[in-house]
Amino acid sequence: MELVGPGALMSWVDLPAGTGFGLANLPHGVFSTPGTAPRSGIAIGDSVLDLAAVTGDPVHATGSLNAFLAQGPTAWRELRARVTDWLTDEVYRARVEPHLIPRGDVTMHLPVEVADYVDFYSSRHHAENLGRILRPGSPPLLPNWRHLPVGYHGRSGTVRVSGTPVVRPHGQRAEPEGPPSAGPTRRLDIEAEVGFVVGAPSELGTPVPLGAFPEHVFGVCLVDDWSARDLQAWEYAPLGPFLGKSFLTSVSPWVVPLAALEAARVPAPPRDVPLLPYLDDGDDPWGLDLSLEVRLNGALVSCPPFAGMYWTPAQQLAHLTVNGAALRTGDLVASGTVSGPRRDQRGSLMELSWGGTEPLTLAGGTTRTFLEDGDEVTISGTAPGTDGSRISLGEVTGRVVPDPMREE
Amino acid sequence: MELVGPGALMSWVDLPAGTGFGLANLPHGVFSTPGTAPRSGIAIGDSVLDLAAVTGDPVHATGSLNAFLAQGPTAWRELRARVTDWLTDEVYRARVEPHLIPRGDVTMHLPVEVADYVDFYSSRHHAENLGRILRPGSPPLLPNWRHLPVGYHGRSGTVRVSGTPVVRPHGQRAEPEGPPSAGPTRRLDIEAEVGFVVGAPSELGTPVPLGAFPEHVFGVCLVDDWSARDLQAWEYAPLGPFLGKSFLTSVSPWVVPLAALEAARVPAPPRDVPLLPYLDDGDDPWGLDLSLEVRLNGALVSCPPFAGMYWTPAQQLAHLTVNGAALRTGDLVASGTVSGPRRDQRGSLMELSWGGTEPLTLAGGTTRTFLEDGDEVTISGTAPGTDGSRISLGEVTGRVVPDPMREE
């Protein structure tokens, strides 16, 4: 095969105009067809390449990406190169084409068996908005925020694939005065985030420096970290969010390899205070120009830009491990809500409705502060590809269903 | 076999006088001998019964208890009854005795592949002590504390078995004024806790009521939730503890089945405020009379009593799932630091040294506020058994080793 840049490559697969799933993307996911077991595949145009079948390698037949991700970056690069060959060189067509399945015919599954789920708080605009809403009159950022990526562990056992119904959670709700009430949340919210999936593990006691980020992280998905703000407000002091978040976290089904995001890398924003050496990314920042869109019942309500995130995913990983914490294959490291400086760039309803005080107006004149039963939220994302196209991060969606225990 | 109470049973195994590992205990763990793979066993006296060998069941040969725990409470009860028969009826002796291995010859492993690790804060004395130390002049308990068991998710990937070295973690340390410093923690602490291991999973969207506690939780271990107080103090607002805890959590190797703790059940303490129905355990409380001992370099420094815990493990599980969060086999639900009302019942050095202001005096006149390199901490525990003996919860131990990155 000739040595040519990816911009020059053409696939024999019939790719729809403007597809976000061209040769520059090649995201990994787990799919099934009726009557068959979940297995790994790669999206190409409107099809899925059945990796288990085309390779015959049982690593792709386990029902999660973990076994392949654990093989590490050399294996990731080699497979990407092989799949690119298969999809571009006509000589492979007869062997490969029978293993292309229309994406409309498959069911997507959770791509990764999640090990630990860590959620950061890395958008300055989001943190400042929350500070202004929740602590009016105080400085919007707490003293630690500029010095380290604030984060916490979430519940990995309730991470589910896009499309999982969002059952309105029940719990103890903050009331303006007096004791809490019990019942379904009245402040069900979204958080539009980007998640980074760890492939290669690290040893306990060995920090992962900034430069090792692409040796450990395989790729990127979209995350909706559903939140019950009234549960969260009551429970969170002093140990952080718990039941306000742990009922469900949804992820997009396609994990876009970091290798597909080379053209999306951008500088990090200026920082207010000198960074400690383990966080100083001056030479090699991992800012990423990902563009998110949030739709509520079909109406575009926000376009959060990932490029301006104060803390990058490489800094998040370096911080997460500076105390010697080990990484495992399947760790999901999310950015926290992505919000930009403009109102129409905010990544949560808490911000979009300013704590419920400024309702959003949707199509037909309906309004929303927080989510109502039946509402559907979809977060999608794109990034510049290495061939000049825009590649798709797919989407993560969910529809709210009532709390089955409600008595109201 | 005759229907007799366990008090009347005698084993043909030679049990040392006063063993905490008699027929009333039968805890499960994972062990290996030199050159053999980790497999499941049950402790009896000074021996381990090799479950994989004696049963021939591959569920006991996986290297973790998870596969067996996932079989649920009927399988747990059946195996316990069978093992009791095997160890008491001479007719089984010839078949069983070859599968008893001296405990001194085995290496113990992490008993459970931990799914999610949740850490509560359920000792009122501990929460009040921390409140008084960290927020002097304010009410020691925050408003939510009496209404719900406060908790958070920890890092399941850094849970390790007893004996794992405690590498002094590096990170950003709170300073009295100005920006943080970077370096090894100066306030390395312990937290003496009790952990509850989930066996039978639950469905997303389906809360686990108080009464279903023993249908989901298999058993109990001891937990040392090592903590770096200066890292924690700087990072924890507003999302809770993160790197101050995530470098290591140690657990005892033997998981004592709930079935062995029937005689340890005690009433819950009186509560200050009416409990919401899902937490109201009036009829069937799961207080447990477990006695802990904390030793620092061999000196007994504390005897935390579990019986007085304000929130019981059944309430913790009911709260954890009231929002619909699913349980998985291997979930580890820890109590939080166990502290009693007396100074010699406090379960952390933070409390024992009152924030570092009142050093402990150890044997030979040495003093400690927080842990120094080379220090060894061992937490052990016992409970009343159904046969009138005291059963052992084993121990969890760790020795502090220096931060390999330190430059000081």
Side-chain angles (χ1 to χ4, degrees):
Chain A
M1 188 180 158
E2 290 180 276
L3 285 171
V4 289
L9 289 177
M10 292 284 290
S11 179
W12 48 258
V13 180
D14 185 24
L15 299 177
T19 182
F21 294 94
L23 291 168
N25 195 346
L26 303 181
H28 291 233
V30 173
F31 75 98
S32 64
T33 52
T36 69
R39 55 203 185 273
S40 302
I42 284 180
I44 179 71
D46 288 340
S47 299
V48 182
L49 175 62
D50 184 337
L51 274 184
V54 75
T55 65
D57 185 341
V59 79
H60 300 300
T62 61
S64 88
L65 302 182
N66 293 51
F68 171 65
L69 266 51
Q71 294 183 345
T74 302
W76 309 338
R77 283 190 287 268
E78 286 176 356
L79 182 66
R80 187 171 178 84
R82 285 167 66 202
V83 169
T84 302
D85 282 355
W86 294 343
L87 296 174
T88 51
D89 194 331
E90 280 282 347
V91 75
Y92 297 110
R93 181 169 186 166
R95 183 163 80 81
V96 171
E97 197 161 26
H99 303 300
L100 289 175
I101 302 168
R103 285 207 280 139
D105 293 350
V106 307
T107 298
M108 298 304 296
H109 301 268
L110 185 66
V112 172
E113 188 178 341
V114 180
D116 271 300
Y117 166 44
V118 171
D119 195 19
F120 279 95
Y121 192 55
S122 291
S123 160
R124 177 173 187 152
H125 304 291
H126 172 68
E128 287 180 338
N129 285 338
L130 269 282
R132 290 189 183 107
I133 294 167
L134 299 175
R135 298 183 303 273
S138 299
L141 293 180
L142 291 177
N144 57 13
W145 199 91
R146 294 176 178 85
H147 292 272
L148 53 74
V150 171
Y152 69 105
H153 285 91
R155 189 164 184 82
S156 59
T158 49
V159 178
R160 292 289 188 279
V161 73
S162 174
T164 301
V166 185
V167 180
R168 183 178 295 275
H170 189 98
Q172 295 195 21
R173 303 172 299 201
E175 295 291 344
E177 294 184 26
S181 60
T185 178
R186 298 167 178 141
R187 299 190 130 207
L188 183 60
D189 199 355
I190 62 161
E191 294 198 326
E193 307 196 13
V194 176
F196 295 82
V197 177
V198 171
S202 69
E203 292 294 321
L204 189 69
T206 306
V208 174
L210 286 170
F213 174 70
E215 303 301 308
H216 289 277
V217 166
F218 171 73
V220 172
C221 62
L222 299 171
V223 177
D224 192 341
D225 193 37
W226 306 94
S227 299
R229 300 296 182 190
D230 42 2
L231 276 56
Q232 186 181 347
W234 173 240
E235 73 182 356
Y236 88 100
L239 301 183
F242 187 36
L243 299 192
K245 303 279 194 172
S246 65
F247 57 96
L248 181 67
T249 304
S250 300
V251 298
S252 58
W254 292 109
V255 182
V256 173
L258 278 192
L261 296 174
E262 277 298 322
R265 289 187 63 177
V266 292
R271 274 65 174 248
D272 290 3
V273 298
L275 297 178
L276 285 166
Y278 78 97
L279 291 173
D280 188 350
D281 62 351
D283 293 341
D284 188 30
W286 268 95
L288 287 171
D289 180 22
L290 315 179
S291 300
L292 274 51
E293 293 186 341
V294 181
R295 286 179 172 77
L296 171 52
N297 297 334
L300 183 67
V301 295
S302 180
C303 298
F306 192 77
M309 297 292 276
Y310 195 89
W311 298 106
T312 72
Q315 290 174 313
Q316 292 173 350
L317 209 72
H319 184 62
L320 169 57
T321 59
V322 73
N323 68 346
L327 299 175
R328 289 183 295 174
T329 299
D331 279 350
L332 176 64
V333 181
S335 60
T337 306
V338 182
S339 291
R342 301 203 318 259
R343 176 168 176 164
D344 65 356
Q345 295 177 324
R346 298 173 186 165
S348 70
L349 292 172
M350 186 74 171
E351 294 161 90
L352 286 163
S353 73
W354 207 253
T357 63
E358 300 175 9
L360 285 173
T361 301
L362 305 180
T366 59
T367 62
R368 286 290 183 281
T369 50
F370 295 96
L371 296 175
E372 299 189 3
D373 292 343
D375 282 352
E376 184 174 67
V377 176
T378 301
I379 303 166
S380 58
T382 60
T386 49
D387 61 357
S389 71
R390 281 202 83 76
I391 65 174
S392 175
L393 305 178
E395 66 177 37
V396 55
T397 189
R399 184 184 293 275
V400 180
V401 301
D403 172 13
M405 295 197 301
R406 70 176 175 178
E407 295 163 11
E408 295 175 320
Chain B
M1 187 181 158
E2 289 179 275
L3 285 171
V4 289
L9 289 177
M10 291 285 291
S11 180
W12 48 258
V13 179
D14 184 24
L15 299 178
T19 181
F21 293 95
L23 291 169
N25 194 347
L26 303 181
H28 291 233
V30 173
F31 74 98
S32 65
T33 51
T36 68
R39 56 202 184 275
S40 302
I42 284 181
I44 178 71
D46 288 341
S47 300
V48 182
L49 175 63
D50 183 335
L51 274 184
V54 74
T55 65
D57 186 342
V59 79
H60 300 300
T62 61
S64 89
L65 302 182
N66 292 52
F68 171 65
L69 265 53
Q71 293 183 345
T74 302
W76 310 337
R77 283 189 288 268
E78 285 176 357
L79 183 65
R80 187 171 178 82
R82 286 168 66 203
V83 169
T84 302
D85 283 355
W86 294 342
L87 295 174
T88 51
D89 193 331
E90 279 283 346
V91 75
Y92 297 110
R93 181 168 183 167
R95 183 163 80 80
V96 173
E97 198 161 24
H99 303 300
L100 289 176
I101 302 167
R103 286 208 279 138
D105 294 349
V106 306
T107 298
M108 298 303 298
H109 300 268
L110 185 67
V112 172
E113 189 178 340
V114 181
D116 272 300
Y117 166 44
V118 171
D119 195 19
F120 279 94
Y121 192 53
S122 290
S123 160
R124 178 172 185 154
H125 304 291
H126 173 68
E128 287 180 339
N129 285 338
L130 269 283
R132 290 189 182 108
I133 294 167
L134 299 174
R135 297 183 305 273
S138 299
L141 292 181
L142 292 177
N144 57 13
W145 199 91
R146 294 175 178 85
H147 292 271
L148 53 74
V150 170
Y152 69 104
H153 286 91
R155 189 163 184 81
S156 59
T158 48
V159 178
R160 293 289 188 278
V161 73
S162 174
T164 301
V166 185
V167 180
R168 184 178 292 276
H170 188 100
Q172 295 194 22
R173 304 173 298 201
E175 296 290 344
E177 293 184 28
S181 61
T185 178
R186 299 169 179 140
R187 300 190 130 209
L188 183 59
D189 200 355
I190 61 161
E191 294 199 326
E193 307 196 12
V194 175
F196 295 82
V197 177
V198 171
S202 68
E203 291 293 320
L204 190 68
T206 305
V208 174
L210 286 169
F213 173 71
E215 304 301 305
H216 290 276
V217 166
F218 171 74
V220 172
C221 62
L222 298 172
V223 177
D224 192 342
D225 193 36
W226 306 95
S227 298
R229 300 296 182 191
D230 43 0
L231 276 55
Q232 185 181 348
W234 172 240
E235 74 183 353
Y236 87 100
L239 301 183
F242 186 35
L243 299 192
K245 303 278 195 173
S246 65
F247 56 97
L248 180 67
T249 304
S250 300
V251 298
S252 57
W254 293 109
V255 182
V256 174
L258 278 192
L261 296 173
E262 276 300 321
R265 288 187 65 178
V266 290
R271 275 66 174 245
D272 291 2
V273 299
L275 298 177
L276 286 165
Y278 79 97
L279 291 174
D280 189 351
D281 61 351
D283 294 341
D284 188 30
W286 268 94
L288 286 170
D289 179 21
L290 315 179
S291 300
L292 274 52
E293 295 187 339
V294 180
R295 286 179 172 77
L296 171 52
N297 297 335
L300 182 67
V301 295
S302 179
C303 297
F306 193 76
M309 297 291 277
Y310 195 89
W311 298 105
T312 72
Q315 289 173 315
Q316 291 173 351
L317 208 73
H319 184 62
L320 168 57
T321 59
V322 72
N323 68 346
L327 299 174
R328 289 182 295 174
T329 299
D331 279 351
L332 175 65
V333 182
S335 60
T337 305
V338 182
S339 291
R342 300 204 317 259
R343 176 169 174 164
D344 65 357
Q345 295 177 324
R346 297 173 186 163
S348 70
L349 293 173
M350 185 73 171
E351 294 162 271
L352 286 163
S353 74
W354 208 252
T357 62
E358 300 174 11
L360 285 173
T361 301
L362 305 180
T366 59
T367 61
R368 285 290 182 282
T369 50
F370 295 96
L371 296 175
E372 299 189 3
D373 292 343
D375 281 351
E376 184 174 65
V377 176
T378 301
I379 303 166
S380 56
T382 59
T386 50
D387 61 357
S389 71
R390 281 202 82 77
I391 64 175
S392 176
L393 304 178
E395 64 176 38
V396 55
T397 190
R399 184 183 293 275
V400 180
V401 301
D403 172 13
M405 295 197 300
R406 69 178 176 178
E407 295 163 10
E408 294 175 318

